[in-house]
Amino acid sequence: MRTVKLSLITMSLIAMGSTVQANSLSEALSNGKVTGDISVTYESRKQDKEVSAYYSNTAYSVGSVGINYKTADFNNFSAAVGFRAYNTLYEDDDTFATSQGKGDASERFYDKAGSAMLSQAYLAYDVENAHVKLGRQGLSTEWLTKIHDAVTVYANPVKNSELELIWTKRRGRVYARDLRHMVNVNKDKGIYKAGLTYTFNDNIKAKGYFLKAPQAYDIYGAKLHLDSKFDNTKVGLLLHSMETSEKVGTTKDGEMIEVKAYTTVAGYTGTLGYVKTGKDNGWGSAANAGDTVVPFEEGDQMYVADSTTTYAMLSKKISDVSLTVLYGITEYGIYEKDEFDLWAGYSFTKNMRFNLGYALTNEDKDDASTTDMQQLNATITYKF
């Protein structure tokens, strides 16, 4: 298990607090909450042809246990720590050399990460109009996703506004279906982000954001959300524009336009999406630390230069069963591919859930770097 510098800082701050406010902090610790889960995941991939270690026929099952502890609040401070431990239960080929190690599972569960890893370790400060976290935490924001060693600030400087400030040093994945060790983003220089969201009224919300990877690239973006409700029907529209300013290796900047329309009626949620990338350099460096744009299980060609993707998605929850189907077509350069995805979930009990995913890609036969693929994944989780 790797313990990173920010995690050490977080634990040190907790220890410092214990010497100053032993009695009160002791109460905060004793009133903390422990949560966790036991999960088993299975995944298989079948290709029409094996074109790389990633695009190969593999099958594996991995079990994991996640434990999390969060203190109660003390003077608006709280702290959390968690980890996940893994064990490979089955591999169709345990000698297969992937790009990350040996064995079918190593393409998603990196050998370099070891058998256990910190999933969170942060110190938080929360008041009515400001929320601060220092340490390992999950992020899901434009171009920064998964697990990060970061400092995040969310504040409401004026009414109807939210200020987002982030600095991230490392990124990884610590999930039941994915384990990737923490690696530096932008080498050792990190990435800075600033965003401002303003809610004009119940129907209109806008956001502008800026990311800076020092000496590497900048990202500029703007989003506009339009939402309305008519009786029991909700409709909405998202307009999103992004461009990069590249500073290393290329003079060609990245670009992207995203348009997404959605509606909810009678429990069904339908979404129509359109994503267009720049002709010269696609998204550029924008997705180096994650994205919230690609809806597919795969969707690799959405990143490349001169690609246009259109998709339709439909979701419905019936009792304890949730279903989502997605179909889309990507045209990129002289090629075209399509992808079909199905996700299903079922809650056996309040604490036990089963999730199933299926992906089918139909690649362009003239693109020698790709191959048709079927992927099946299944995960069962018991939470406590």
Side-chain angles (χ1 to χ4, degrees), residues 326-359:
L326 170 64
Y327 176 76
I329 299 173
T330 299
E331 298 177 359
Y332 58 108
I334 62 173
Y335 306 120
E336 179 179 305
K337 62 86 59 94
D338 61 85
E339 179 171 341
F340 170 80
D341 294 325
L342 168 67
W343 296 282
Y346 175 71
S347 297
F348 293 99
T349 66
K350 180 180 178 181
N351 297 328
M352 182 174 288
R353 183 169 177 83
F354 175 75
N355 288 302
L356 179 72
Y358 174 76

PDB file of all heavy atoms in Angstrom, residues 326-359:
ATOM      1  N   LEU A 326     -27.899   2.286 -24.130  1.00  0.00           N
ATOM      2  CA  LEU A 326     -27.211   3.369 -24.807  1.00  0.00           C
ATOM      3  C   LEU A 326     -26.735   2.883 -26.168  1.00  0.00           C
ATOM      4  O   LEU A 326     -26.170   1.786 -26.281  1.00  0.00           O
ATOM      5  CB  LEU A 326     -26.013   3.833 -23.970  1.00  0.00           C
ATOM      6  CG  LEU A 326     -25.005   4.797 -24.603  1.00  0.00           C
ATOM      7  CD1 LEU A 326     -25.649   6.120 -24.930  1.00  0.00           C
ATOM      8  CD2 LEU A 326     -23.817   4.993 -23.670  1.00  0.00           C
ATOM      9  N   TYR A 327     -26.979   3.684 -27.188  1.00  0.00           N
ATOM     10  CA  TYR A 327     -26.474   3.362 -28.522  1.00  0.00           C
ATOM     11  C   TYR A 327     -25.951   4.641 -29.157  1.00  0.00           C
ATOM     12  O   TYR A 327     -26.580   5.710 -29.067  1.00  0.00           O
ATOM     13  CB  TYR A 327     -27.568   2.775 -29.416  1.00  0.00           C
ATOM     14  CG  TYR A 327     -27.098   2.511 -30.827  1.00  0.00           C
ATOM     15  CD1 TYR A 327     -26.289   1.420 -31.114  1.00  0.00           C
ATOM     16  CD2 TYR A 327     -27.420   3.386 -31.861  1.00  0.00           C
ATOM     17  CE1 TYR A 327     -25.826   1.188 -32.406  1.00  0.00           C
ATOM     18  CE2 TYR A 327     -26.969   3.158 -33.162  1.00  0.00           C
ATOM     19  CZ  TYR A 327     -26.169   2.053 -33.425  1.00  0.00           C
ATOM     20  OH  TYR A 327     -25.708   1.823 -34.695  1.00  0.00           O
ATOM     21  N   GLY A 328     -24.777   4.536 -29.773  1.00  0.00           N
ATOM     22  CA  GLY A 328     -24.201   5.717 -30.398  1.00  0.00           C
ATOM     23  C   GLY A 328     -23.317   5.379 -31.575  1.00  0.00           C
ATOM     24  O   GLY A 328     -22.832   4.245 -31.713  1.00  0.00           O
ATOM     25  N   ILE A 329     -23.095   6.368 -32.430  1.00  0.00           N
ATOM     26  CA  ILE A 329     -22.263   6.241 -33.622  1.00  0.00           C
ATOM     27  C   ILE A 329     -21.203   7.333 -33.592  1.00  0.00           C
ATOM     28  O   ILE A 329     -21.509   8.504 -33.319  1.00  0.00           O
ATOM     29  CB  ILE A 329     -23.107   6.374 -34.903  1.00  0.00           C
ATOM     30  CG1 ILE A 329     -24.163   5.272 -34.973  1.00  0.00           C
ATOM     31  CG2 ILE A 329     -22.216   6.331 -36.146  1.00  0.00           C
ATOM     32  CD1 ILE A 329     -25.144   5.446 -36.117  1.00  0.00           C
ATOM     33  N   THR A 330     -19.960   6.940 -33.841  1.00  0.00           N
ATOM     34  CA  THR A 330     -18.856   7.895 -33.918  1.00  0.00           C
ATOM     35  C   THR A 330     -18.239   7.848 -35.306  1.00  0.00           C
ATOM     36  O   THR A 330     -17.823   6.782 -35.777  1.00  0.00           O
ATOM     37  CB  THR A 330     -17.764   7.587 -32.870  1.00  0.00           C
ATOM     38  OG1 THR A 330     -18.339   7.677 -31.560  1.00  0.00           O
ATOM     39  CG2 THR A 330     -16.619   8.583 -32.974  1.00  0.00           C
ATOM     40  N   GLU A 331     -18.194   8.995 -35.963  1.00  0.00           N
ATOM     41  CA  GLU A 331     -17.487   9.149 -37.232  1.00  0.00           C
ATOM     42  C   GLU A 331     -16.191   9.902 -36.946  1.00  0.00           C
ATOM     43  O   GLU A 331     -16.213  10.991 -36.373  1.00  0.00           O
ATOM     44  CB  GLU A 331     -18.339   9.928 -38.230  1.00  0.00           C
ATOM     45  CG  GLU A 331     -19.653   9.241 -38.587  1.00  0.00           C
ATOM     46  CD  GLU A 331     -20.513  10.079 -39.519  1.00  0.00           C
ATOM     47  OE1 GLU A 331     -20.076  11.201 -39.861  1.00  0.00           O
ATOM     48  OE2 GLU A 331     -21.611   9.623 -39.876  1.00  0.00           O
ATOM     49  N   TYR A 332     -15.068   9.298 -37.322  1.00  0.00           N
ATOM     50  CA  TYR A 332     -13.777   9.929 -37.039  1.00  0.00           C
ATOM     51  C   TYR A 332     -12.884   9.792 -38.264  1.00  0.00           C
ATOM     52  O   TYR A 332     -12.573   8.704 -38.722  1.00  0.00           O
ATOM     53  CB  TYR A 332     -13.122   9.311 -35.803  1.00  0.00           C
ATOM     54  CG  TYR A 332     -12.880   7.821 -35.864  1.00  0.00           C
ATOM     55  CD1 TYR A 332     -11.590   7.307 -36.008  1.00  0.00           C
ATOM     56  CD2 TYR A 332     -13.935   6.917 -35.773  1.00  0.00           C
ATOM     57  CE1 TYR A 332     -11.359   5.949 -36.059  1.00  0.00           C
ATOM     58  CE2 TYR A 332     -13.713   5.546 -35.824  1.00  0.00           C
ATOM     59  CZ  TYR A 332     -12.427   5.072 -35.963  1.00  0.00           C
ATOM     60  OH  TYR A 332     -12.194   3.707 -36.019  1.00  0.00           O
ATOM     61  N   GLY A 333     -12.511  10.928 -38.828  1.00  0.00           N
ATOM     62  CA  GLY A 333     -11.745  10.903 -40.052  1.00  0.00           C
ATOM     63  C   GLY A 333     -12.536  10.213 -41.153  1.00  0.00           C
ATOM     64  O   GLY A 333     -13.679  10.565 -41.440  1.00  0.00           O
ATOM     65  N   ILE A 334     -11.938   9.171 -41.751  1.00  0.00           N
ATOM     66  CA  ILE A 334     -12.614   8.415 -42.812  1.00  0.00           C
ATOM     67  C   ILE A 334     -13.317   7.176 -42.262  1.00  0.00           C
ATOM     68  O   ILE A 334     -13.871   6.380 -43.031  1.00  0.00           O
ATOM     69  CB  ILE A 334     -11.609   7.998 -43.910  1.00  0.00           C
ATOM     70  CG1 ILE A 334     -10.537   7.073 -43.323  1.00  0.00           C
ATOM     71  CG2 ILE A 334     -10.988   9.229 -44.558  1.00  0.00           C
ATOM     72  CD1 ILE A 334      -9.596   6.485 -44.363  1.00  0.00           C
ATOM     73  N   TYR A 335     -13.312   7.007 -40.915  1.00  0.00           N
ATOM     74  CA  TYR A 335     -13.854   5.791 -40.313  1.00  0.00           C
ATOM     75  C   TYR A 335     -15.168   6.059 -39.584  1.00  0.00           C
ATOM     76  O   TYR A 335     -15.523   7.203 -39.280  1.00  0.00           O
ATOM     77  CB  TYR A 335     -12.851   5.186 -39.332  1.00  0.00           C
ATOM     78  CG  TYR A 335     -11.484   4.932 -39.917  1.00  0.00           C
ATOM     79  CD1 TYR A 335     -10.357   5.554 -39.381  1.00  0.00           C
ATOM     80  CD2 TYR A 335     -11.319   4.082 -41.005  1.00  0.00           C
ATOM     81  CE1 TYR A 335      -9.094   5.320 -39.907  1.00  0.00           C
ATOM     82  CE2 TYR A 335     -10.062   3.839 -41.535  1.00  0.00           C
ATOM     83  CZ  TYR A 335      -8.955   4.467 -40.985  1.00  0.00           C
ATOM     84  OH  TYR A 335      -7.709   4.243 -41.511  1.00  0.00           O
ATOM     85  N   GLU A 336     -15.855   4.945 -39.265  1.00  0.00           N
ATOM     86  CA  GLU A 336     -17.103   5.022 -38.498  1.00  0.00           C
ATOM     87  C   GLU A 336     -17.258   3.767 -37.658  1.00  0.00           C
ATOM     88  O   GLU A 336     -16.970   2.657 -38.113  1.00  0.00           O
ATOM     89  CB  GLU A 336     -18.300   5.159 -39.442  1.00  0.00           C
ATOM     90  CG  GLU A 336     -19.642   5.222 -38.722  1.00  0.00           C
ATOM     91  CD  GLU A 336     -20.816   5.386 -39.678  1.00  0.00           C
ATOM     92  OE1 GLU A 336     -20.797   6.341 -40.464  1.00  0.00           O
ATOM     93  OE2 GLU A 336     -21.725   4.525 -39.652  1.00  0.00           O
ATOM     94  N   LYS A 337     -17.686   3.935 -36.420  1.00  0.00           N
ATOM     95  CA  LYS A 337     -17.964   2.798 -35.530  1.00  0.00           C
ATOM     96  C   LYS A 337     -19.222   3.085 -34.744  1.00  0.00           C
ATOM     97  O   LYS A 337     -19.676   4.243 -34.625  1.00  0.00           O
ATOM     98  CB  LYS A 337     -16.784   2.520 -34.597  1.00  0.00           C
ATOM     99  CG  LYS A 337     -16.402   3.641 -33.614  1.00  0.00           C
ATOM    100  CD  LYS A 337     -17.195   3.637 -32.296  1.00  0.00           C
ATOM    101  CE  LYS A 337     -17.054   2.384 -31.510  1.00  0.00           C
ATOM    102  NZ  LYS A 337     -15.991   2.429 -30.487  1.00  0.00           N
ATOM    103  N   ASP A 338     -19.824   2.019 -34.182  1.00  0.00           N
ATOM    104  CA  ASP A 338     -20.965   2.218 -33.298  1.00  0.00           C
ATOM    105  C   ASP A 338     -20.799   1.333 -32.082  1.00  0.00           C
ATOM    106  O   ASP A 338     -20.038   0.359 -32.086  1.00  0.00           O
ATOM    107  CB  ASP A 338     -22.293   1.933 -34.020  1.00  0.00           C
ATOM    108  CG  ASP A 338     -22.401   0.509 -34.530  1.00  0.00           C
ATOM    109  OD1 ASP A 338     -22.799  -0.364 -33.744  1.00  0.00           O
ATOM    110  OD2 ASP A 338     -22.095   0.264 -35.717  1.00  0.00           O
ATOM    111  N   GLU A 339     -21.513   1.696 -31.027  1.00  0.00           N
ATOM    112  CA  GLU A 339     -21.423   0.959 -29.762  1.00  0.00           C
ATOM    113  C   GLU A 339     -22.788   0.863 -29.111  1.00  0.00           C
ATOM    114  O   GLU A 339     -23.562   1.834 -29.109  1.00  0.00           O
ATOM    115  CB  GLU A 339     -20.433   1.630 -28.807  1.00  0.00           C
ATOM    116  CG  GLU A 339     -20.313   0.924 -27.442  1.00  0.00           C
ATOM    117  CD  GLU A 339     -19.177   1.465 -26.588  1.00  0.00           C
ATOM    118  OE1 GLU A 339     -18.263   2.116 -27.160  1.00  0.00           O
ATOM    119  OE2 GLU A 339     -19.180   1.248 -25.364  1.00  0.00           O
ATOM    120  N   PHE A 340     -23.072  -0.315 -28.556  1.00  0.00           N
ATOM    121  CA  PHE A 340     -24.296  -0.548 -27.795  1.00  0.00           C
ATOM    122  C   PHE A 340     -23.908  -0.949 -26.382  1.00  0.00           C
ATOM    123  O   PHE A 340     -23.063  -1.834 -26.182  1.00  0.00           O
ATOM    124  CB  PHE A 340     -25.130  -1.665 -28.429  1.00  0.00           C
ATOM    125  CG  PHE A 340     -26.281  -2.106 -27.569  1.00  0.00           C
ATOM    126  CD1 PHE A 340     -27.463  -1.372 -27.527  1.00  0.00           C
ATOM    127  CD2 PHE A 340     -26.180  -3.254 -26.795  1.00  0.00           C
ATOM    128  CE1 PHE A 340     -28.515  -1.773 -26.727  1.00  0.00           C
ATOM    129  CE2 PHE A 340     -27.230  -3.666 -25.988  1.00  0.00           C
ATOM    130  CZ  PHE A 340     -28.404  -2.924 -25.953  1.00  0.00           C
ATOM    131  N   ASP A 341     -24.515  -0.308 -25.387  1.00  0.00           N
ATOM    132  CA  ASP A 341     -24.250  -0.622 -23.982  1.00  0.00           C
ATOM    133  C   ASP A 341     -25.556  -0.892 -23.248  1.00  0.00           C
ATOM    134  O   ASP A 341     -26.581  -0.241 -23.523  1.00  0.00           O
ATOM    135  CB  ASP A 341     -23.535   0.542 -23.278  1.00  0.00           C
ATOM    136  CG  ASP A 341     -22.135   0.782 -23.817  1.00  0.00           C
ATOM    137  OD1 ASP A 341     -21.467  -0.199 -24.170  1.00  0.00           O
ATOM    138  OD2 ASP A 341     -21.726   1.957 -23.881  1.00  0.00           O
ATOM    139  N   LEU A 342     -25.493  -1.814 -22.319  1.00  0.00           N
ATOM    140  CA  LEU A 342     -26.629  -2.116 -21.448  1.00  0.00           C
ATOM    141  C   LEU A 342     -26.118  -2.226 -20.027  1.00  0.00           C
ATOM    142  O   LEU A 342     -25.145  -2.942 -19.756  1.00  0.00           O
ATOM    143  CB  LEU A 342     -27.297  -3.429 -21.866  1.00  0.00           C
ATOM    144  CG  LEU A 342     -28.316  -4.025 -20.882  1.00  0.00           C
ATOM    145  CD1 LEU A 342     -29.546  -3.130 -20.784  1.00  0.00           C
ATOM    146  CD2 LEU A 342     -28.705  -5.440 -21.288  1.00  0.00           C
ATOM    147  N   TRP A 343     -26.768  -1.511 -19.110  1.00  0.00           N
ATOM    148  CA  TRP A 343     -26.452  -1.613 -17.683  1.00  0.00           C
ATOM    149  C   TRP A 343     -27.724  -1.959 -16.920  1.00  0.00           C
ATOM    150  O   TRP A 343     -28.793  -1.382 -17.177  1.00  0.00           O
ATOM    151  CB  TRP A 343     -25.885  -0.298 -17.151  1.00  0.00           C
ATOM    152  CG  TRP A 343     -24.582   0.085 -17.757  1.00  0.00           C
ATOM    153  CD1 TRP A 343     -23.345  -0.405 -17.466  1.00  0.00           C
ATOM    154  CD2 TRP A 343     -24.372   1.087 -18.770  1.00  0.00           C
ATOM    155  NE1 TRP A 343     -22.386   0.208 -18.235  1.00  0.00           N
ATOM    156  CE2 TRP A 343     -22.985   1.121 -19.048  1.00  0.00           C
ATOM    157  CE3 TRP A 343     -25.225   1.935 -19.465  1.00  0.00           C
ATOM    158  CZ2 TRP A 343     -22.440   1.986 -19.984  1.00  0.00           C
ATOM    159  CZ3 TRP A 343     -24.681   2.790 -20.410  1.00  0.00           C
ATOM    160  CH2 TRP A 343     -23.302   2.824 -20.652  1.00  0.00           C
ATOM    161  N   ALA A 344     -27.613  -2.904 -16.002  1.00  0.00           N
ATOM    162  CA  ALA A 344     -28.751  -3.306 -15.187  1.00  0.00           C
ATOM    163  C   ALA A 344     -28.301  -3.463 -13.742  1.00  0.00           C
ATOM    164  O   ALA A 344     -27.182  -3.902 -13.465  1.00  0.00           O
ATOM    165  CB  ALA A 344     -29.347  -4.618 -15.704  1.00  0.00           C
ATOM    166  N   GLY A 345     -29.182  -3.089 -12.832  1.00  0.00           N
ATOM    167  CA  GLY A 345     -28.882  -3.234 -11.419  1.00  0.00           C
ATOM    168  C   GLY A 345     -30.089  -3.763 -10.674  1.00  0.00           C
ATOM    169  O   GLY A 345     -31.239  -3.445 -11.015  1.00  0.00           O
ATOM    170  N   TYR A 346     -29.833  -4.588  -9.670  1.00  0.00           N
ATOM    171  CA  TYR A 346     -30.919  -5.151  -8.874  1.00  0.00           C
ATOM    172  C   TYR A 346     -30.505  -5.178  -7.415  1.00  0.00           C
ATOM    173  O   TYR A 346     -29.407  -5.644  -7.069  1.00  0.00           O
ATOM    174  CB  TYR A 346     -31.269  -6.565  -9.336  1.00  0.00           C
ATOM    175  CG  TYR A 346     -32.312  -7.232  -8.469  1.00  0.00           C
ATOM    176  CD1 TYR A 346     -33.636  -6.805  -8.498  1.00  0.00           C
ATOM    177  CD2 TYR A 346     -31.965  -8.271  -7.604  1.00  0.00           C
ATOM    178  CE1 TYR A 346     -34.589  -7.407  -7.704  1.00  0.00           C
ATOM    179  CE2 TYR A 346     -32.920  -8.871  -6.801  1.00  0.00           C
ATOM    180  CZ  TYR A 346     -34.228  -8.439  -6.851  1.00  0.00           C
ATOM    181  OH  TYR A 346     -35.181  -9.017  -6.045  1.00  0.00           O
ATOM    182  N   SER A 347     -31.370  -4.678  -6.537  1.00  0.00           N
ATOM    183  CA  SER A 347     -31.117  -4.685  -5.100  1.00  0.00           C
ATOM    184  C   SER A 347     -31.814  -5.875  -4.467  1.00  0.00           C
ATOM    185  O   SER A 347     -33.048  -5.918  -4.387  1.00  0.00           O
ATOM    186  CB  SER A 347     -31.602  -3.379  -4.468  1.00  0.00           C
ATOM    187  OG  SER A 347     -30.895  -2.267  -4.985  1.00  0.00           O
ATOM    188  N   PHE A 348     -31.037  -6.866  -4.049  1.00  0.00           N
ATOM    189  CA  PHE A 348     -31.608  -8.025  -3.359  1.00  0.00           C
ATOM    190  C   PHE A 348     -32.179  -7.613  -2.007  1.00  0.00           C
ATOM    191  O   PHE A 348     -33.276  -8.009  -1.625  1.00  0.00           O
ATOM    192  CB  PHE A 348     -30.531  -9.098  -3.144  1.00  0.00           C
ATOM    193  CG  PHE A 348     -30.040  -9.721  -4.411  1.00  0.00           C
ATOM    194  CD1 PHE A 348     -28.852  -9.300  -4.988  1.00  0.00           C
ATOM    195  CD2 PHE A 348     -30.758 -10.726  -5.037  1.00  0.00           C
ATOM    196  CE1 PHE A 348     -28.384  -9.874  -6.148  1.00  0.00           C
ATOM    197  CE2 PHE A 348     -30.305 -11.314  -6.201  1.00  0.00           C
ATOM    198  CZ  PHE A 348     -29.113 -10.885  -6.764  1.00  0.00           C
ATOM    199  N   THR A 349     -31.389  -6.808  -1.298  1.00  0.00           N
ATOM    200  CA  THR A 349     -31.788  -6.262  -0.002  1.00  0.00           C
ATOM    201  C   THR A 349     -31.296  -4.825   0.055  1.00  0.00           C
ATOM    202  O   THR A 349     -30.713  -4.313  -0.909  1.00  0.00           O
ATOM    203  CB  THR A 349     -31.170  -7.063   1.160  1.00  0.00           C
ATOM    204  OG1 THR A 349     -29.737  -6.899   1.130  1.00  0.00           O
ATOM    205  CG2 THR A 349     -31.510  -8.560   1.057  1.00  0.00           C
ATOM    206  N   LYS A 350     -31.510  -4.188   1.182  1.00  0.00           N
ATOM    207  CA  LYS A 350     -31.040  -2.823   1.367  1.00  0.00           C
ATOM    208  C   LYS A 350     -29.521  -2.748   1.237  1.00  0.00           C
ATOM    209  O   LYS A 350     -28.964  -1.740   0.774  1.00  0.00           O
ATOM    210  CB  LYS A 350     -31.479  -2.298   2.735  1.00  0.00           C
ATOM    211  CG  LYS A 350     -31.035  -0.878   3.026  1.00  0.00           C
ATOM    212  CD  LYS A 350     -31.510  -0.439   4.397  1.00  0.00           C
ATOM    213  CE  LYS A 350     -31.026   0.974   4.705  1.00  0.00           C
ATOM    214  NZ  LYS A 350     -31.464   1.410   6.062  1.00  0.00           N
ATOM    215  N   ASN A 351     -28.834  -3.820   1.628  1.00  0.00           N
ATOM    216  CA  ASN A 351     -27.377  -3.800   1.673  1.00  0.00           C
ATOM    217  C   ASN A 351     -26.696  -4.560   0.545  1.00  0.00           C
ATOM    218  O   ASN A 351     -25.483  -4.455   0.392  1.00  0.00           O
ATOM    219  CB  ASN A 351     -26.882  -4.381   3.009  1.00  0.00           C
ATOM    220  CG  ASN A 351     -27.340  -3.555   4.193  1.00  0.00           C
ATOM    221  OD1 ASN A 351     -27.481  -2.348   4.082  1.00  0.00           O
ATOM    222  ND2 ASN A 351     -27.586  -4.199   5.310  1.00  0.00           N
ATOM    223  N   MET A 352     -27.445  -5.356  -0.206  1.00  0.00           N
ATOM    224  CA  MET A 352     -26.819  -6.178  -1.243  1.00  0.00           C
ATOM    225  C   MET A 352     -27.357  -5.812  -2.623  1.00  0.00           C
ATOM    226  O   MET A 352     -28.564  -5.774  -2.831  1.00  0.00           O
ATOM    227  CB  MET A 352     -27.059  -7.666  -0.980  1.00  0.00           C
ATOM    228  CG  MET A 352     -26.378  -8.581  -1.999  1.00  0.00           C
ATOM    229  SD  MET A 352     -26.509 -10.343  -1.584  1.00  0.00           S
ATOM    230  CE  MET A 352     -25.382 -10.420  -0.184  1.00  0.00           C
ATOM    231  N   ARG A 353     -26.423  -5.576  -3.557  1.00  0.00           N
ATOM    232  CA  ARG A 353     -26.813  -5.147  -4.896  1.00  0.00           C
ATOM    233  C   ARG A 353     -25.978  -5.880  -5.946  1.00  0.00           C
ATOM    234  O   ARG A 353     -24.791  -6.159  -5.751  1.00  0.00           O
ATOM    235  CB  ARG A 353     -26.644  -3.640  -5.063  1.00  0.00           C
ATOM    236  CG  ARG A 353     -27.115  -3.104  -6.428  1.00  0.00           C
ATOM    237  CD  ARG A 353     -27.171  -1.602  -6.461  1.00  0.00           C
ATOM    238  NE  ARG A 353     -27.556  -1.098  -7.772  1.00  0.00           N
ATOM    239  CZ  ARG A 353     -28.803  -0.992  -8.191  1.00  0.00           C
ATOM    240  NH1 ARG A 353     -29.789  -1.374  -7.383  1.00  0.00           N
ATOM    241  NH2 ARG A 353     -29.091  -0.523  -9.404  1.00  0.00           N
ATOM    242  N   PHE A 354     -26.623  -6.148  -7.075  1.00  0.00           N
ATOM    243  CA  PHE A 354     -25.982  -6.800  -8.206  1.00  0.00           C
ATOM    244  C   PHE A 354     -26.047  -5.869  -9.405  1.00  0.00           C
ATOM    245  O   PHE A 354     -27.101  -5.320  -9.730  1.00  0.00           O
ATOM    246  CB  PHE A 354     -26.695  -8.112  -8.536  1.00  0.00           C
ATOM    247  CG  PHE A 354     -26.174  -8.799  -9.768  1.00  0.00           C
ATOM    248  CD1 PHE A 354     -24.958  -9.470  -9.744  1.00  0.00           C
ATOM    249  CD2 PHE A 354     -26.901  -8.776 -10.952  1.00  0.00           C
ATOM    250  CE1 PHE A 354     -24.474 -10.105 -10.871  1.00  0.00           C
ATOM    251  CE2 PHE A 354     -26.424  -9.417 -12.090  1.00  0.00           C
ATOM    252  CZ  PHE A 354     -25.210 -10.080 -12.048  1.00  0.00           C
ATOM    253  N   ASN A 355     -24.897  -5.644 -10.066  1.00  0.00           N
ATOM    254  CA  ASN A 355     -24.829  -4.793 -11.254  1.00  0.00           C
ATOM    255  C   ASN A 355     -24.258  -5.591 -12.420  1.00  0.00           C
ATOM    256  O   ASN A 355     -23.286  -6.342 -12.254  1.00  0.00           O
ATOM    257  CB  ASN A 355     -23.951  -3.565 -11.000  1.00  0.00           C
ATOM    258  CG  ASN A 355     -24.616  -2.578 -10.070  1.00  0.00           C
ATOM    259  OD1 ASN A 355     -25.710  -2.093 -10.337  1.00  0.00           O
ATOM    260  ND2 ASN A 355     -23.961  -2.275  -8.964  1.00  0.00           N
ATOM    261  N   LEU A 356     -24.873  -5.399 -13.580  1.00  0.00           N
ATOM    262  CA  LEU A 356     -24.469  -6.102 -14.789  1.00  0.00           C
ATOM    263  C   LEU A 356     -24.246  -5.083 -15.901  1.00  0.00           C
ATOM    264  O   LEU A 356     -25.026  -4.139 -16.053  1.00  0.00           O
ATOM    265  CB  LEU A 356     -25.560  -7.090 -15.210  1.00  0.00           C
ATOM    266  CG  LEU A 356     -25.315  -7.899 -16.489  1.00  0.00           C
ATOM    267  CD1 LEU A 356     -24.233  -8.947 -16.241  1.00  0.00           C
ATOM    268  CD2 LEU A 356     -26.615  -8.564 -16.944  1.00  0.00           C
ATOM    269  N   GLY A 357     -23.187  -5.278 -16.681  1.00  0.00           N
ATOM    270  CA  GLY A 357     -22.912  -4.402 -17.801  1.00  0.00           C
ATOM    271  C   GLY A 357     -22.526  -5.202 -19.032  1.00  0.00           C
ATOM    272  O   GLY A 357     -21.818  -6.211 -18.934  1.00  0.00           O
ATOM    273  N   TYR A 358     -23.002  -4.755 -20.185  1.00  0.00           N
ATOM    274  CA  TYR A 358     -22.666  -5.417 -21.446  1.00  0.00           C
ATOM    275  C   TYR A 358     -22.372  -4.346 -22.485  1.00  0.00           C
ATOM    276  O   TYR A 358     -23.117  -3.363 -22.615  1.00  0.00           O
ATOM    277  CB  TYR A 358     -23.819  -6.294 -21.923  1.00  0.00           C
ATOM    278  CG  TYR A 358     -23.602  -6.894 -23.298  1.00  0.00           C
ATOM    279  CD1 TYR A 358     -22.732  -7.962 -23.471  1.00  0.00           C
ATOM    280  CD2 TYR A 358     -24.249  -6.362 -24.412  1.00  0.00           C
ATOM    281  CE1 TYR A 358     -22.524  -8.504 -24.733  1.00  0.00           C
ATOM    282  CE2 TYR A 358     -24.044  -6.908 -25.682  1.00  0.00           C
ATOM    283  CZ  TYR A 358     -23.174  -7.980 -25.834  1.00  0.00           C
ATOM    284  OH  TYR A 358     -22.964  -8.507 -27.073  1.00  0.00           O
ATOM    285  N   ALA A 359     -21.282  -4.524 -23.207  1.00  0.00           N
ATOM    286  CA  ALA A 359     -20.893  -3.581 -24.259  1.00  0.00           C
ATOM    287  C   ALA A 359     -20.576  -4.345 -25.535  1.00  0.00           C
ATOM    288  O   ALA A 359     -19.909  -5.390 -25.495  1.00  0.00           O
ATOM    289  CB  ALA A 359     -19.675  -2.760 -23.828  1.00  0.00           C
TER     290      ALA A 359
END
